[in-house]
Amino acid sequence: MTITRRSLLLRAPLAAGIIAVGLPSIARSQAASVKIRYLASRGSISPHELADQLGYFKGLGIELENVGYAGGGPESLFALASGSVDLGSAATPAVINSIAGGNDFVAAYPSNGINSQVKSVFYVLEDSPIRSIADIAGKTISVNTLGAHLDYAVREALHSVGLPPDAAKLVVVPGPQLEQTLRSHQVDVAGLGYWQATFAGALVANGGVRGVFNDADVLGEIAGGFVVLRRNFIVANRDAAKNFVEQSARAADWSRQNPDEARKVLAEILDKRGENGELARYWTGFGLREKAVATDRDIDFWVAVLERDGRLPKGKLKAADILYRPGETKTN
């Protein structure tokens, strides 16, 4: 079944969230299999999808069900809040905004990391006069969705050179259309997220483009986003939720240790979805730390940015309110 915005709006309103779990030893589920519904991202996968493909959830009472695609993280969180899916995946600022807005969500594990190998890059055509971040003021930049990672990366890039965060115009373009939109001069800059490395690889391979800046230069090494769970889900399915996080982290570690094999698995997943499996050769990995560990800075950096911009009341949230820490799991 494909989830549409209309079907989401017709569903129940906000659902309570859950606290995520840590990464100790596997807890064997004593209950019946738990189905975890999620929305996929075109051209990419999350660690839990890789774990499922590798068979890591077998015998652990977990069944993943792809119920469609999300255009971006905010849509994924909206589906989670409505109860249409059982997990969301979004950029950190979007997760913080969602929690600040009343959703009882908790970041289970980082879905991706940003570093020197895995990063979002903002591309222009080779003959473009845009040479620096300062040059993007007044220009049109394509992003996958508003209110998510690329949006905030542009804002922070502009801030870093003393420009207003809204100095550039952002337009929404789906991943598969990013290259065509840039080459046909419909936008001045194409933003390709760290999760869109397959599309970025094809763009670069076709030539005639260059990167102007990337989010690793602007943000440093940091988690790009998080897989988010609801509190009531883990209360009802503690073992399944625990195993879900453990095995997702295990799959992320496996992909880092076996990049060529991981690309083959990604190709199989993309082909199964009806996408172009050939693009898997451009995949750069999840960019996660060992065991998908999250740090306070992953959250607190964006809390500070949102507070600075007046989007979040000062002192309302901190990393400890959002990240799971072993032994500190709350149930209300």
Side-chain angles (χ1 to χ4, degrees):
M1 153 180 143
T2 299
I3 289 183
T4 64
R5 183 168 294 277
R6 183 173 185 273
S7 68
L8 291 174
L9 290 170
L10 291 174
R11 292 187 180 255
L14 296 182
I18 92 163
I19 284 291
V21 292
L23 305 174
S25 59
I26 295 173
R28 298 286 170 177
S29 176
Q30 302 301 315
S33 180
V34 174
K35 183 174 290 187
I36 300 178
R37 300 162 298 162
Y38 71 95
L39 295 170
S41 177
R42 295 188 187 278
S44 184
I45 57 170
S46 295
H48 50 266
E49 292 176 276
L50 178 60
D52 191 43
Q53 188 74 5
L54 293 174
Y56 287 177
F57 295 137
K58 288 182 179 178
L60 297 179
I62 297 171
E63 179 187 350
L64 258 61
E65 181 183 5
N66 180 353
V67 294
Y69 286 98
E75 182 179 345
S76 175
L77 294 177
F78 184 83
L80 179 63
S82 73
S84 298
V85 296
D86 304 301
L87 69 89
S89 182
T92 312
V95 173
I96 296 170
N97 282 331
S98 183
I99 293 172
N103 288 303
D104 193 10
F105 297 160
V106 175
Y109 74 88
S111 54
N112 290 83
I114 296 167
N115 55 39
S116 58
Q117 286 77 45
V118 180
K119 53 194 172 186
S120 307
V121 181
F122 293 82
Y123 291 97
V124 297
L125 296 177
E126 192 64 53
D127 59 357
S128 170
I130 300 172
R131 297 282 172 179
S132 68
I133 292 174
D135 293 336
I136 68 174
K139 300 300 190 293
T140 303
I141 303 175
S142 63
V143 297
N144 67 306
T145 190
L146 299 178
H149 181 75
L150 295 178
D151 186 337
Y152 279 95
V154 170
R155 290 173 176 273
E156 197 59 18
L158 289 165
H159 175 78
S160 73
V161 295
L163 290 170
D166 58 354
K169 180 182 178 182
L170 304 184
V171 296
V172 175
V173 177
Q177 280 79 57
L178 285 167
E179 179 170 1
Q180 176 187 352
T181 305
L182 178 64
R183 293 191 186 281
S184 61
H185 299 275
Q186 296 178 62
V187 296
D188 301 303
V189 184
L192 285 96
Y194 52 80
W195 64 96
Q196 296 174 313
T198 53
F199 299 135
L203 173 67
V204 173
N206 289 333
V209 299
R210 55 182 170 80
V212 176
F213 70 98
N214 64 71
D215 56 359
D217 290 340
V218 174
L219 308 174
E221 183 175 316
I222 194 170
F226 283 84
V227 170
V228 180
L229 298 170
R230 295 192 306 268
R231 191 188 308 272
N232 65 338
F233 180 89
I234 196 173
V235 169
N237 307 283
R238 291 185 183 277
D239 285 353
K242 179 174 182 288
N243 289 330
F244 169 76
V245 174
E246 286 182 347
Q247 298 309 310
S248 298
R250 177 186 171 197
D253 285 345
W254 178 85
S255 71
R256 186 176 57 255
Q257 297 157 2
N258 304 277
D260 292 337
E261 290 87 343
R263 291 186 186 95
K264 291 177 183 177
V265 176
L266 172 58
E268 293 173 4
I269 292 174
L270 293 179
D271 284 338
K272 188 183 298 184
R273 291 183 190 165
E275 300 182 56
N276 183 4
E278 289 295 318
L279 295 179
R281 67 181 184 273
Y282 300 121
W283 189 61
T284 53
F286 295 117
L288 293 172
R289 306 177 187 98
E290 186 176 357
K291 294 185 179 180
V293 168
T295 68
D296 283 358
R297 181 181 181 271
D298 291 335
I299 297 292
D300 287 339
F301 174 89
W302 287 112
V303 166
V305 168
L306 294 170
E307 289 177 345
R308 180 196 72 205
D309 293 345
R311 295 169 176 263
L312 180 70
K314 288 191 175 182
K316 180 171 183 176
L317 290 172
K318 56 184 181 299
D321 302 321
I322 297 170
L323 292 174
Y324 167 76
R325 298 300 189 193
E328 298 177 7
T329 306
K330 298 179 291 184
T331 58
N332 64 335

